[in-house]
mmCIF file of all heavy atoms in Angstrom:
data_model
loop_
_atom_site.group_PDB
_atom_site.id
_atom_site.type_symbol
_atom_site.label_atom_id
_atom_site.label_comp_id
_atom_site.label_asym_id
_atom_site.label_seq_id
_atom_site.Cartn_x
_atom_site.Cartn_y
_atom_site.Cartn_z
ATOM 1 N N ARG B 71 130.183 171.249 128.464
ATOM 2 C CA ARG B 71 131.621 171.436 128.730
ATOM 3 C C ARG B 71 131.835 172.454 129.841
ATOM 4 O O ARG B 71 132.720 172.286 130.683
ATOM 5 C CB ARG B 71 132.330 171.855 127.453
ATOM 6 C CG ARG B 71 132.350 170.675 126.451
ATOM 7 C CD ARG B 71 132.976 171.000 125.129
ATOM 8 N NE ARG B 71 134.332 171.495 125.264
ATOM 9 C CZ ARG B 71 134.878 172.388 124.436
ATOM 10 N NH1 ARG B 71 134.183 172.857 123.427
ATOM 11 N NH2 ARG B 71 136.103 172.791 124.599
ATOM 12 N N PHE B 72 131.031 173.516 129.864
ATOM 13 C CA PHE B 72 131.126 174.523 130.917
ATOM 14 C C PHE B 72 130.849 173.890 132.285
ATOM 15 O O PHE B 72 131.568 174.151 133.259
ATOM 16 C CB PHE B 72 130.147 175.666 130.643
ATOM 17 C CG PHE B 72 130.179 176.751 131.674
ATOM 18 C CD1 PHE B 72 131.229 177.641 131.723
ATOM 19 C CD2 PHE B 72 129.145 176.878 132.591
ATOM 20 C CE1 PHE B 72 131.267 178.655 132.677
ATOM 21 C CE2 PHE B 72 129.172 177.882 133.542
ATOM 22 C CZ PHE B 72 130.225 178.769 133.591
ATOM 23 N N MET B 73 129.827 173.057 132.369
ATOM 24 C CA MET B 73 129.476 172.401 133.639
ATOM 25 C C MET B 73 130.586 171.459 134.106
ATOM 26 O O MET B 73 130.810 171.309 135.304
ATOM 27 C CB MET B 73 128.150 171.651 133.509
ATOM 28 C CG MET B 73 126.964 172.568 133.238
ATOM 29 S SD MET B 73 126.752 173.895 134.430
ATOM 30 C CE MET B 73 126.265 172.979 135.866
ATOM 31 N N GLU B 74 131.280 170.834 133.164
ATOM 32 C CA GLU B 74 132.404 169.966 133.524
ATOM 33 C C GLU B 74 133.566 170.773 134.107
ATOM 34 O O GLU B 74 134.276 170.294 134.980
ATOM 35 C CB GLU B 74 132.889 169.191 132.299
ATOM 36 C CG GLU B 74 131.918 168.138 131.823
ATOM 37 C CD GLU B 74 132.282 167.556 130.464
ATOM 38 O OE1 GLU B 74 133.274 168.005 129.847
ATOM 39 O OE2 GLU B 74 131.553 166.647 130.012
ATOM 40 N N LEU B 75 133.767 171.991 133.623
ATOM 41 C CA LEU B 75 134.867 172.845 134.078
ATOM 42 C C LEU B 75 134.536 173.616 135.357
ATOM 43 O O LEU B 75 135.441 174.004 136.094
ATOM 44 C CB LEU B 75 135.247 173.845 132.982
ATOM 45 C CG LEU B 75 135.763 173.254 131.675
ATOM 46 C CD1 LEU B 75 135.927 174.353 130.630
ATOM 47 C CD2 LEU B 75 137.071 172.518 131.906
ATOM 48 N N LEU B 76 133.273 173.824 135.646
ATOM 49 C CA LEU B 76 132.843 174.648 136.765
ATOM 50 C C LEU B 76 133.412 174.221 138.120
ATOM 51 O O LEU B 76 133.830 175.077 138.898
ATOM 52 C CB LEU B 76 131.311 174.704 136.811
ATOM 53 C CG LEU B 76 130.681 175.811 137.631
ATOM 54 C CD1 LEU B 76 131.170 177.183 137.195
ATOM 55 C CD2 LEU B 76 129.172 175.739 137.517
ATOM 56 N N PRO B 77 133.487 172.921 138.434
ATOM 57 C CA PRO B 77 134.043 172.543 139.745
ATOM 58 C C PRO B 77 135.494 172.987 139.961
ATOM 59 O O PRO B 77 135.945 173.074 141.098
ATOM 60 C CB PRO B 77 133.941 171.015 139.757
ATOM 61 C CG PRO B 77 132.802 170.724 138.838
ATOM 62 C CD PRO B 77 132.907 171.767 137.751
ATOM 63 N N GLY B 78 136.212 173.312 138.914
ATOM 64 C CA GLY B 78 137.585 173.784 139.042
ATOM 65 C C GLY B 78 137.685 175.273 139.351
ATOM 66 O O GLY B 78 138.781 175.780 139.610
ATOM 67 N N GLU B 79 136.565 175.984 139.340
ATOM 68 C CA GLU B 79 136.575 177.421 139.623
ATOM 69 C C GLU B 79 136.728 177.663 141.128
ATOM 70 O O GLU B 79 136.166 176.938 141.939
ATOM 71 C CB GLU B 79 135.281 178.074 139.127
ATOM 72 C CG GLU B 79 135.149 178.071 137.625
ATOM 73 C CD GLU B 79 136.233 178.892 136.953
ATOM 74 O OE1 GLU B 79 136.568 179.982 137.458
ATOM 75 O OE2 GLU B 79 136.756 178.428 135.919
ATOM 76 N N PRO B 80 137.493 178.693 141.516
ATOM 77 C CA PRO B 80 137.790 178.938 142.935
ATOM 78 C C PRO B 80 136.562 179.174 143.814
ATOM 79 O O PRO B 80 136.571 178.794 144.985
ATOM 80 C CB PRO B 80 138.667 180.191 142.920
ATOM 81 C CG PRO B 80 139.004 180.479 141.517
ATOM 82 C CD PRO B 80 138.151 179.648 140.633
ATOM 83 N N ASP B 81 135.515 179.802 143.279
ATOM 84 C CA ASP B 81 134.351 180.092 144.127
ATOM 85 C C ASP B 81 133.259 179.028 144.032
ATOM 86 O O ASP B 81 132.177 179.204 144.573
ATOM 87 C CB ASP B 81 133.784 181.473 143.795
ATOM 88 C CG ASP B 81 133.014 181.492 142.490
ATOM 89 O OD1 ASP B 81 133.301 180.663 141.608
ATOM 90 O OD2 ASP B 81 132.123 182.348 142.351
ATOM 91 N N PHE B 82 133.546 177.914 143.366
ATOM 92 C CA PHE B 82 132.530 176.878 143.194
ATOM 93 C C PHE B 82 132.310 176.104 144.496
ATOM 94 O O PHE B 82 133.249 175.576 145.084
ATOM 95 C CB PHE B 82 132.925 175.896 142.088
ATOM 96 C CG PHE B 82 131.921 174.791 141.908
ATOM 97 C CD1 PHE B 82 130.726 175.024 141.255
ATOM 98 C CD2 PHE B 82 132.164 173.522 142.424
ATOM 99 C CE1 PHE B 82 129.789 174.014 141.096
ATOM 100 C CE2 PHE B 82 131.232 172.508 142.267
ATOM 101 C CZ PHE B 82 130.049 172.751 141.608
ATOM 102 N N VAL B 83 131.054 176.070 144.936
ATOM 103 C CA VAL B 83 130.639 175.272 146.085
ATOM 104 C C VAL B 83 129.381 174.534 145.644
ATOM 105 O O VAL B 83 128.396 175.175 145.263
ATOM 106 C CB VAL B 83 130.340 176.144 147.323
ATOM 107 C CG1 VAL B 83 129.838 175.293 148.472
ATOM 108 C CG2 VAL B 83 131.555 176.954 147.726
ATOM 109 N N PRO B 84 129.406 173.190 145.638
ATOM 110 C CA PRO B 84 128.221 172.449 145.191
ATOM 111 C C PRO B 84 126.952 172.905 145.916
ATOM 112 O O PRO B 84 126.954 173.100 147.130
ATOM 113 C CB PRO B 84 128.558 170.995 145.531
ATOM 114 C CG PRO B 84 130.053 170.955 145.534
ATOM 115 C CD PRO B 84 130.480 172.309 146.064
ATOM 116 N N GLY B 85 125.898 173.124 145.143
ATOM 117 C CA GLY B 85 124.614 173.524 145.712
ATOM 118 C C GLY B 85 124.465 175.014 145.957
ATOM 119 O O GLY B 85 123.427 175.460 146.429
ATOM 120 N N ARG B 86 125.492 175.790 145.662
ATOM 121 C CA ARG B 86 125.432 177.236 145.861
ATOM 122 C C ARG B 86 125.636 177.947 144.526
ATOM 123 O O ARG B 86 126.221 177.397 143.604
ATOM 124 C CB ARG B 86 126.515 177.690 146.829
ATOM 125 C CG ARG B 86 126.355 177.068 148.198
ATOM 126 C CD ARG B 86 126.445 178.112 149.265
ATOM 127 N NE ARG B 86 126.135 177.490 150.542
ATOM 128 C CZ ARG B 86 126.914 177.542 151.575
ATOM 129 N NH1 ARG B 86 128.050 178.181 151.511
ATOM 130 N NH2 ARG B 86 126.553 176.961 152.699
ATOM 131 N N CYS B 87 125.217 179.190 144.474
ATOM 132 C CA CYS B 87 125.422 179.994 143.270
ATOM 133 C C CYS B 87 126.902 180.324 143.119
ATOM 134 O O CYS B 87 127.605 180.520 144.101
ATOM 135 C CB CYS B 87 124.623 181.294 143.342
ATOM 136 S SG CYS B 87 122.859 181.043 143.156
ATOM 137 N N SER B 88 127.335 180.390 141.901
ATOM 138 C CA SER B 88 128.714 180.735 141.590
ATOM 139 C C SER B 88 128.732 182.065 140.847
ATOM 140 O O SER B 88 127.797 182.391 140.124
ATOM 141 C CB SER B 88 129.331 179.643 140.707
ATOM 142 O OG SER B 88 130.595 180.034 140.255
ATOM 143 N N THR B 89 129.792 182.820 141.021
ATOM 144 C CA THR B 89 129.928 184.056 140.242
ATOM 145 C C THR B 89 130.438 183.753 138.842
ATOM 146 O O THR B 89 130.469 184.618 137.993
ATOM 147 C CB THR B 89 130.886 185.045 140.941
ATOM 148 O OG1 THR B 89 132.153 184.422 141.094
ATOM 149 C CG2 THR B 89 130.331 185.487 142.282
ATOM 150 N N THR B 90 130.841 182.516 138.610
ATOM 151 C CA THR B 90 131.289 182.074 137.290
ATOM 152 C C THR B 90 130.053 181.654 136.504
ATOM 153 O O THR B 90 129.424 180.651 136.821
ATOM 154 C CB THR B 90 132.277 180.893 137.428
ATOM 155 O OG1 THR B 90 133.334 181.277 138.296
ATOM 156 C CG2 THR B 90 132.822 180.483 136.090
ATOM 157 N N THR B 91 129.682 182.451 135.508
ATOM 158 C CA THR B 91 128.437 182.188 134.788
ATOM 159 C C THR B 91 128.670 182.052 133.286
ATOM 160 O O THR B 91 129.599 182.615 132.729
ATOM 161 C CB THR B 91 127.417 183.321 135.025
ATOM 162 O OG1 THR B 91 127.971 184.545 134.558
ATOM 163 C CG2 THR B 91 127.050 183.439 136.495
ATOM 164 N N PHE B 92 127.796 181.296 132.656
ATOM 165 C CA PHE B 92 127.785 181.152 131.212
ATOM 166 C C PHE B 92 126.890 182.243 130.647
ATOM 167 O O PHE B 92 125.817 182.480 131.189
ATOM 168 C CB PHE B 92 127.229 179.769 130.830
ATOM 169 C CG PHE B 92 127.308 179.497 129.364
ATOM 170 C CD1 PHE B 92 128.432 178.924 128.818
ATOM 171 C CD2 PHE B 92 126.259 179.836 128.528
ATOM 172 C CE1 PHE B 92 128.512 178.683 127.450
ATOM 173 C CE2 PHE B 92 126.329 179.600 127.173
ATOM 174 C CZ PHE B 92 127.460 179.022 126.635
ATOM 175 N N PRO B 93 127.270 182.903 129.613
ATOM 176 C CA PRO B 93 128.411 182.703 128.740
ATOM 177 C C PRO B 93 129.633 183.549 129.094
ATOM 178 O O PRO B 93 130.692 183.370 128.517
ATOM 179 C CB PRO B 93 127.879 183.132 127.377
ATOM 180 C CG PRO B 93 126.956 184.265 127.692
ATOM 181 C CD PRO B 93 126.307 183.868 129.006
ATOM 182 N N PHE B 94 129.503 184.489 130.038
ATOM 183 C CA PHE B 94 130.568 185.469 130.239
ATOM 184 C C PHE B 94 131.851 184.893 130.799
ATOM 185 O O PHE B 94 132.924 185.444 130.581
ATOM 186 C CB PHE B 94 130.044 186.649 131.056
ATOM 187 C CG PHE B 94 129.000 187.386 130.287
ATOM 188 C CD1 PHE B 94 127.656 187.204 130.551
ATOM 189 C CD2 PHE B 94 129.357 188.211 129.236
ATOM 190 C CE1 PHE B 94 126.685 187.840 129.801
ATOM 191 C CE2 PHE B 94 128.398 188.856 128.471
ATOM 192 C CZ PHE B 94 127.060 188.666 128.751
#
Side-chain angles (χ1 to χ4, degrees):
R71 291 177 56 212
F72 180 74
M73 296 305 291
E74 290 169 357
L75 298 173
L76 197 56
E79 293 296 319
D81 75 333
F82 178 76
V83 177
R86 298 229 174 126
C87 288
S88 172
T89 59
T90 306
T91 60
F92 185 89
F94 295 101

